Amino acid sequence: MGCEYAVALWKALDNLHGAHSKSRIDDTCTLIQITRKGSTSMEDYLKQNKAWADSLALVGEPYLENQLISSVTSDLDIEYLSIVLQIEARSSITQKKLQGILLAFENKREHLQNLSLNSSTKPTRSPISPNANFANHPSTNNTGRGNYQNQGGGGRENYTCGGRSTSGRR
């Protein structure tokens, strides 16, 4: 290294190591800022970002929590827009709280996608299926309950429910 004294050698090594460390710090900061979630699970995405932030803290260059939160939310895809807007509307949030919200959102989103996939493979039923209460019975006049036809029935009026005439109270 061309140094006459040990002090000069140590200083040269320190400068060399310092430059290498600074380069790695810059690279790690860049990774946090540009890495998108993509097809990675939310859990893995959050773990990776947290690991990078922790490695910066270990070398004395902590990545501030609010910067990490901003990087994480800004690198999510459009399908997370609704939850990102809610997170950004808060005055403050911790990394731990952010992690809980995003993991819960992803679990709910995956659950709904699975329901959607399962419902598209099953035969569909009509929203109201016939049962004993809605069976089509021939109408008979003035017999049975509910056929008052406004004949002094104590304020009762006829109305139609499921194609069958019934009576009710106002």
Side-chain angles (χ1 to χ4, degrees):
M1 292 194 100
C3 299
E4 283 185 37
Y5 300 101
V7 172
L9 180 60
W10 281 112
K11 195 172 206 174
L13 286 173
D14 187 44
N15 286 339
L16 181 64
H17 179 67
H20 180 67
S21 293
K22 177 68 175 141
S23 174
R24 290 191 67 186
I25 289 169
D26 291 344
D27 289 346
T28 304
C29 287
T30 301
L31 284 172
I32 292 172
Q33 294 168 357
I34 66 167
T35 301
R36 300 193 57 83
K37 179 190 169 295
S39 62
T40 307
S41 74
M42 181 61 73
E43 184 176 3
D44 290 343
Y45 172 69
L46 293 171
K47 280 181 183 177
Q48 183 62 67
N49 278 289
K50 181 71 170 126
W52 285 329
D54 290 347
S55 71
L56 289 171
L58 287 174
V59 296
E61 295 286 331
Y63 201 81
L64 299 177
E65 186 176 47
N66 63 340
Q67 290 175 315
L68 182 61
I69 290 168
S70 179
S71 292
V72 165
T73 56
S74 65
D75 292 334
L76 294 173
D77 297 325
I78 190 75
E79 60 194 5
Y80 292 92
L81 180 62
S82 62
I83 196 70
V84 167
L85 292 174
Q86 291 178 26
I87 290 166
E88 290 176 347
R90 295 173 177 237
S91 59
S92 67
I93 189 169
T94 64
Q95 165 64 18
K96 190 173 185 176
K97 184 73 173 170
L98 174 72
Q99 181 177 342
I101 291 170
L102 290 175
L103 289 173
F105 184 83
E106 183 177 61
N107 287 339
K108 186 63 150 179
R109 188 181 57 79
E110 287 175 355
H111 176 72
L112 292 173
Q113 282 178 339
N114 289 338
L115 285 176
S116 177
L117 290 174
N118 289 339
S119 68
S120 66
T121 59
K122 292 181 182 177
T124 57
R125 292 186 345 191
S126 81
I128 300 176
S129 58
N131 60 34
N133 294 330
F134 288 95
N136 290 328
H137 293 290
S139 177
T140 57
N141 291 333
N142 297 327
T143 59
R145 195 169 153 195
N147 290 320
Y148 293 99
Q149 303 205 1
N150 216 9
Q151 297 175 6
R156 296 179 184 186
E157 292 183 355
N158 288 337
Y159 62 92
T160 304
C161 177
R164 193 177 113 209
S165 178
T166 60
S167 69
R169 297 191 183 267
R170 280 190 188 196

